[in-house]
Amino acid sequence: MWVKLALTLFWRELRRGELTIIFAAIALAVLTVFSLSSVTERIRLNIEQKSADFIAADRRLASNHPLEQAFLDEAHELGLKTAQQMFFDSMLFANDELVLGSIKAVSQGYPLRGKVTLKDDFLAADYEVVGVPKEGEVWLSEGLFYSLGLSVGDQVEIGMGIFRASKILVSEPDAPFFSLAGNKRVLLNYVDIETTQAVQPGSRVFYRMLFAGEEQALGNYYGWLKPQLRENQNWQGIKDRQSPLGENLARSESFLLLAGLFGIMLAAVAMAVSAKRYCERQYDPVAMMKTLGGSRQTIRNIFLLHLSLVTLFSLLIGLVIGFVLQSFATDYLANFMNAQLPQAGIKPWALSISIGVVCALMFSLKPLLDLFDIPPLRVLRRNLGDKLAISRVHMGLSVLTIFSLMWLFSGELKTTLMLFGGTATLMLVLFGLSRLFFSAGRKLGLSPGSSWSLAIATLQKRANANAVQLISFALAIKLMLFLFVLKNDLISDWQMQVPEDAPNAFLININESEVNNIKAYFAENNIVHEDLFPIFSGRANGLNGETFARRTSKQEGEEQDEDAARGVGRDLNLTWMTQLPSSNEVIEGEWFSPDSTELEVSVSKGLAERVEISVGDTLTFLVNEQTFDAKVTSIRSVDWGSLKPNFVMIFNPLVAGKFPVTYFTAAQFGEDDAKLVSELLKTHPTMSMIDIKSQLEQAQSMIAQVSLAISFVLAIVLTSGALVLISQVQASLAERMQEIVILRTLGAKGRLIKLATLYEFLLLGALAGFVAALVSDVTLLIIQRELFDVEGKLHPYIWALGPISGAAFVAAIGYFMVSNTMRQNTQGLLRKLA
């Protein structure tokens, strides 16, 4: 019998709109989470897919000595695709020209991810292939064709072998961002290595194995492989810092993670507010039911069924709208990026349904329990039960639920704590300020009949409710400001902005005998360039006598040994200087003294902080097989964005002559200097040039996708924030109707009421926006440093943007929501209230 009664009441309340708020809140939670998680998941998968292309595989194993065949055999047993690579330098000879080239021999199957870009002739169009040169053929970079005077199809000698230069090599997916390979690259079939006879005992050779397959299989393989790895063998994935794009990918995932968390927070706030408001509206009907003989069990069953039906319908509507929304969004993003976005899978469905159910249960549980405790005497004394309206238990339960949902969604406690802590601070500050502001309004002494006086009086009358509204408004504004700054400021800081006077080419692999000739050539042709610096490769191997810990794989989620000293993790380009570089500044210690008799080193600030190096420490270095110590005499800040030659570590001149070196510089060539560049490379065939601009464009293509994703998420959060505000204002419409009726009865004019309402929302929005801006900026400062690993800074412009945008945003939505109510006559309002 109660089921029939419950359904009757349910359909009646649906028609009356009693369940609209809670229905909209759950639907909002579901569609927000579904659309955000779907879009961010699909973009994340696309970024990972694109990022994997940059290493031509899902994982790779690098070594300075030959790798064992057993490694390949085990990979095949686990169903992984594999390929092999070998890197070595060798002379290329053709047309009486001799050039040192960087050879990359690749086996069948290369590349496992991404494609190789080729040209059939100098003027032909580029095209992509998956494959390797045929036996007896090589693919050469365009610079080698020019240096050797070759045409496509000519023969070239490599070591003891003669090969046909069949294609022009434009790019490879795993081409190094910065290496001594430069533009003298050769792609060779792996089986032709023996033909060249260039790899002899003692040759400088590097080996790689490439792997691709399911994550589970890759993880199992690494578990088998790890105990067998030697110190100079490294397992790498795109997330590892040793990968050129590892840091960019980590930041991309952090951006998308933050975006998803913002959606969770907004949905949770809307649900918590709506559930509380709905249950408060049912106090009188429940008291009436109890007066007419309804039992507690019957009432509980009725409202639990109502909640279940609302949750079910809200889930369906939210999923449908979310699916349509994310379909339009991802189609647009796919067309914009000229890419096919991977499907997100079941994760967004499971996540959004779970969050919808959890929100409906956890945010409604305490208000429903309070609803069942409403005394029957409320029909006579309307204030009975009002003390249940504010419940510390409900607030605590809501806060715990929001934190749990954020942690569940992010999987990262640190990120969750930072965002949650910033939000909690915002709520506490706002609640205190709102109480102070509303109480101070009584002492302003504004004149009767003033719209401002009426607005402030209204704020005072609903002090507790307005404090809650203020927190909701501020939270929505905070999240929008947060994403606005991320989109327009942090991403710009992340991207490397090239100064107008910056060099646009690196010249590397310069022999010492060529230094004076190259300087003369630059001077003769008025080419702006930096000094020529000697460089050699070496590794910081220990600090103060303690050897650094072996590096771990971030790709596999390994943790660093906390008891071992943290090391650099890679070989560095080292140099010596007498003068401090122009883009450097000593911030601790002193620059080298010309009278020093011991080996000294200057360390960049970033490395010093990461490895915990201080002035006066002793660093141990490993160069080839030789170790030596150097005393740290200074810490430098380095402007890496200048694109001028910069170094992590710089020695004093006492290191000169201890190791073989090549020289390195940077120059600025004009668009019409192609002939000068060609003559320079032809005159110095062992030298290589790297086009910085093209390399940066390749590395930043992924950043453009993230920027576009943040733009979409900002639109979603803006819409979600508007819906939160609508739910807050809609919940107070009945009370506002009563106020309008009373004011009209007392003779207040319509213009006075309209202006007072507008001023009320302007004040709420301005105060919410100001506090939201301050708290957002402090939270952003922390996130910049802790999450994105960039130098934190404040953003004063949002201190003004917050109050202005908050006032405009809240006033526009709030006034729009109540404008229809104010247009109705008094008789119509009384009828609705009845």
Side-chain angles (χ1 to χ4, degrees):
M1 179 179 178
W2 68 266
V3 175
K4 183 178 179 180
L5 176 61
L7 292 176
T8 302
L9 292 175
F10 179 76
W11 293 117
R12 181 179 299 173
E13 291 186 355
L14 275 182
R15 290 194 298 269
R16 293 176 55 192
E18 292 294 322
L19 291 173
T20 302
I21 300 173
I22 195 167
F23 175 87
I26 299 176
L28 169 64
V30 174
L31 74 89
T32 300
V33 172
F34 184 86
S35 57
L36 282 178
S37 59
S38 294
V39 172
T40 54
E41 178 72 6
R42 294 181 70 174
I43 292 178
R44 183 189 67 80
L45 291 173
N46 184 60
I47 289 174
E48 285 193 354
Q49 187 180 69
K50 293 289 185 182
S51 301
D53 293 349
F54 283 104
I55 62 172
D58 294 328
R59 306 287 193 280
R60 67 187 182 194
L61 177 61
S63 175
N64 292 336
H65 55 78
L67 294 162
E68 301 176 19
Q69 179 63 34
F71 293 173
L72 289 177
D73 294 339
E74 180 65 21
H76 294 155
E77 287 289 328
L78 293 172
L80 297 176
K81 296 179 181 178
T82 64
Q84 295 185 78
Q85 295 178 327
M86 183 186 294
F87 298 82
F88 58 94
D89 294 335
S90 181
M91 303 304 297
L92 284 78
F93 181 77
N95 299 323
D96 296 326
E97 299 287 346
L98 195 64
V99 176
L100 179 66
S102 180
I103 317 294
K104 178 165 70 174
V106 290
S107 66
Q108 292 296 332
Y110 172 87
L112 301 181
R113 294 284 185 261
K115 295 181 180 180
V116 179
T117 305
L118 303 173
K119 290 198 302 186
D120 291 329
D121 206 344
F122 296 108
L123 301 179
D126 299 352
Y127 62 93
E128 296 180 335
V129 300
V130 176
V132 300
K134 298 178 182 178
E135 294 183 33
E137 295 184 359
V138 290
W139 297 341
L140 308 180
S141 61
E142 194 165 347
L144 276 175
F145 277 93
Y146 290 134
S147 299
L148 294 169
L150 290 172
S151 298
V152 175
D154 289 350
Q155 290 187 334
V156 59
E157 296 183 30
I158 303 177
M160 300 300 294
I162 300 177
F163 301 89
R164 178 174 174 267
S166 59
K167 304 287 182 183
I168 298 175
L169 178 62
V170 178
S171 66
E172 316 115 272
D174 56 341
F177 177 75
F178 181 87
S179 78
L180 299 181
N183 62 344
K184 304 294 193 296
R185 306 188 321 278
V186 180
L187 209 61
L188 176 74
N189 193 303
Y190 202 84
V191 299
D192 285 331
I193 296 174
E194 188 174 345
T195 303
T196 67
Q197 298 185 26
V199 179
Q200 301 293 332
S203 297
R204 186 177 175 85
V205 182
F206 301 95
Y207 302 84
R208 279 183 188 163
M209 286 182 178
L210 306 182
F211 305 90
E214 298 293 332
E215 285 295 319
Q216 181 66 39
L218 289 165
N220 293 338
Y221 179 73
Y222 181 62
W224 173 85
L225 177 68
K226 183 180 178 181
Q228 307 176 63
L229 292 180
R230 302 180 186 178
E231 287 295 328
N232 59 356
Q233 294 177 333
N234 300 309
W235 178 259
Q236 301 172 355
I238 192 63
K239 293 182 181 179
D240 293 314
R241 279 189 181 270
Q242 55 262 42
S243 169
L245 296 179
E247 186 174 352
N248 283 349
L249 180 60
R251 288 180 176 179
S252 303
E253 292 182 342
S254 297
F255 276 124
L256 300 181
L257 173 63
L258 281 175
L261 286 177
F262 293 156
I264 294 287
M265 294 175 71
L266 279 177
V269 169
M271 183 62 215
V273 171
S274 301
K276 179 175 174 292
R277 294 289 188 182
Y278 170 73
C279 290
E280 288 175 3
R281 286 185 170 196
Q282 304 305 314
Y283 287 175
D284 291 342
V286 169
M288 185 66 70
M289 290 181 190
K290 288 187 175 181
T291 303
L292 296 176
S295 66
R296 180 186 176 89
Q297 179 68 32
T298 300
I299 294 172
R300 181 168 59 244
N301 292 340
I302 289 173
F303 283 98
L304 288 177
L305 180 59
H306 285 186
L307 178 63
S308 301
L309 291 174
V310 169
T311 302
L312 177 61
F313 291 148
S314 301
L315 286 174
L316 294 176
I317 297 298
L319 289 173
V320 170
I321 297 176
F323 180 80
V324 173
L325 188 62
Q326 68 87 29
S327 296
F328 280 119
T330 51
D331 287 345
Y332 172 77
L333 293 174
N335 291 333
F336 184 88
M337 296 184 294
N338 194 25
Q340 185 68 35
L341 297 181
Q343 293 299 319
I346 197 174
K347 180 180 177 181
W349 297 90
L351 186 64
S352 55
I353 292 173
S354 300
I355 288 178
V357 172
V358 170
C359 285
L361 178 62
M362 299 303 292
F363 294 131
S364 301
L365 183 60
K366 186 60 174 66
L368 279 176
L369 293 177
D370 291 343
L371 182 62
F372 305 148
D373 291 334
I374 292 296
L377 282 178
R378 183 179 171 88
V379 296
L380 298 177
R381 297 175 58 187
R382 298 294 301 276
N383 62 336
L384 287 178
D386 285 349
K387 64 180 181 180
L388 301 174
I390 297 183
S391 169
R392 292 187 177 89
V393 176
H394 180 227
M395 293 179 62
L397 194 62
S398 299
V399 168
L400 180 61
T401 302
I402 292 175
F403 180 83
S404 301
L405 289 175
M406 291 174 63
W407 191 5
L408 173 67
F409 183 80
S410 68
E412 295 185 7
L413 182 60
K414 182 178 179 181
T415 304
T416 302
L417 285 173
M418 283 190 290
L419 284 181
F420 190 81
T423 303
T425 303
L426 173 69
M427 295 172 66
L428 291 175
V429 171
L430 264 178
F431 192 81
L433 283 179
S434 64
R435 301 294 296 178
L436 181 64
F437 174 76
F438 298 145
S439 62
R442 297 187 176 94
K443 303 176 183 179
L444 293 178
L446 296 176
S447 59
S450 166
S451 298
W452 282 108
S453 298
L454 182 58
I456 293 176
T458 305
L459 291 174
Q460 294 168 357
K461 178 177 177 292
R462 289 196 298 267
N464 288 333
N466 284 330
V468 175
Q469 281 192 346
L470 201 62
I471 291 172
S472 299
F473 296 162
L475 180 58
I477 296 169
K478 170 182 177 287
L479 298 184
M480 287 183 282
L481 288 175
F482 220 107
L483 280 181
F484 179 80
V485 175
L486 285 176
K487 175 66 174 63
N488 295 282
D489 189 83
L490 286 183
I491 288 184
S492 297
D493 290 346
W494 171 17
Q495 291 173 307
M496 185 179 294
Q497 303 299 318
V498 182
E500 292 184 2
D501 61 344
N504 56 19
F506 287 153
L507 300 175
I508 59 178
N509 224 22
I510 302 171
N511 293 326
E512 188 170 5
S513 60
E514 299 176 307
V515 170
N516 291 331
N517 291 336
I518 290 176
K519 286 182 177 179
Y521 188 84
F522 285 159
E524 180 183 347
N525 293 281
N526 297 317
I527 297 174
V528 178
H529 68 95
E530 302 296 321
D531 291 336
L532 277 79
F533 300 97
I535 57 172
F536 59 98
S537 181
R539 177 189 294 263
N541 208 41
L543 178 65
N544 296 328
E546 183 180 0
T547 303
F548 287 138
R550 177 174 177 164
R551 63 184 170 192
T552 57
S553 174
K554 294 183 180 179
Q555 184 71 51
E556 310 305 336
E558 291 183 321
E559 297 292 336
Q560 184 76 43
D561 183 0
E562 297 296 335
D563 296 329
R566 186 178 179 184
V568 180
R570 61 185 176 90
D571 287 348
L572 303 171
N573 286 323
L574 307 175
T575 189
W576 68 83
M577 297 182 192
T578 56
Q579 301 294 326
L580 180 70
S582 60
S583 57
N584 290 218
E585 179 183 356
V586 174
I587 57 176
E588 291 184 37
E590 296 182 356
W591 187 246
F592 306 129
S593 169
D595 301 327
S596 176
T597 58
E598 64 177 333
L599 198 56
E600 299 175 347
V601 63
S602 176
V603 183
S604 68
K605 176 185 175 183
L607 180 66
E609 292 177 347
R610 191 165 66 249
V611 188
E612 298 180 355
I613 300 173
S614 303
V615 172
D617 288 345
T618 299
L619 281 169
T620 301
F621 292 87
L622 175 64
V623 178
N624 297 328
E625 297 182 356
Q626 183 177 347
T627 61
F628 63 94
D629 293 336
K631 181 181 179 181
V632 179
T633 57
S634 65
I635 307 294
R636 294 169 290 114
S637 63
V638 182
D639 181 12
W640 298 101
S642 67
L643 290 186
K644 296 180 179 181
N646 280 308
F647 299 88
V648 174
M649 295 195 183
I650 302 174
F651 293 94
N652 62 350
L654 291 180
V655 79
K658 295 183 180 294
F659 312 103
V661 299
T662 59
Y663 282 77
F664 156 66
T665 188
Q668 188 177 47
F669 293 100
E671 295 182 0
D672 300 327
D673 289 341
K675 185 177 180 180
L676 294 177
V677 173
S678 179
E679 289 178 358
L680 182 63
L681 294 175
K682 188 173 182 178
T683 307
H684 304 279
T686 61
M687 183 180 69
S688 295
M689 187 182 80
I690 297 177
D691 184 352
I692 302 173
K693 292 176 68 175
S694 64
Q695 296 287 347
L696 286 176
E697 288 173 0
Q698 182 189 40
Q700 292 182 348
S701 63
M702 181 174 60
I703 302 175
Q705 294 185 32
V706 178
S707 177
L708 189 62
I710 293 295
S711 298
F712 170 75
V713 172
L714 181 58
I716 289 289
V717 170
L718 184 65
T719 303
S720 301
L723 291 176
V724 170
L725 300 186
I726 290 172
S727 66
Q728 280 280 20
V729 176
Q730 188 175 2
S732 64
L733 280 181
E735 189 175 356
R736 291 182 182 277
M737 289 181 187
Q738 293 177 351
E739 292 174 356
I740 293 173
V741 169
I742 294 172
L743 289 171
R744 286 178 179 176
T745 303
L746 295 175
K749 295 182 180 180
R751 186 173 183 273
L752 175 69
I753 299 174
K754 290 179 180 179
L755 287 177
T757 303
L758 180 61
Y759 294 157
E760 177 188 350
F761 285 119
L762 282 172
L763 288 171
L764 283 173
L767 181 59
F770 177 72
V771 178
L774 293 183
V775 175
S776 292
D777 214 11
V778 174
T779 308
L780 276 168
L781 182 65
I782 298 172
I783 286 180
Q784 281 175 287
R785 293 177 176 177
E786 299 298 327
L787 192 59
F788 295 113
D789 195 24
V790 298
E791 189 67 29
K793 65 178 182 180
L794 296 175
H795 308 83
Y797 69 91
I798 69 169
W799 302 350
L801 180 63
I804 295 173
S805 61
F809 187 59
V810 174
I813 294 178
Y815 191 80
F816 173 78
M817 288 295 298
V818 300
S819 60
N820 184 54
T821 299
M822 289 186 292
R823 284 195 297 267
Q824 296 184 37
N825 56 37
T826 305
Q827 185 178 2
L829 293 177
L830 287 172
R831 188 180 297 112
K832 282 193 173 184
L833 289 172

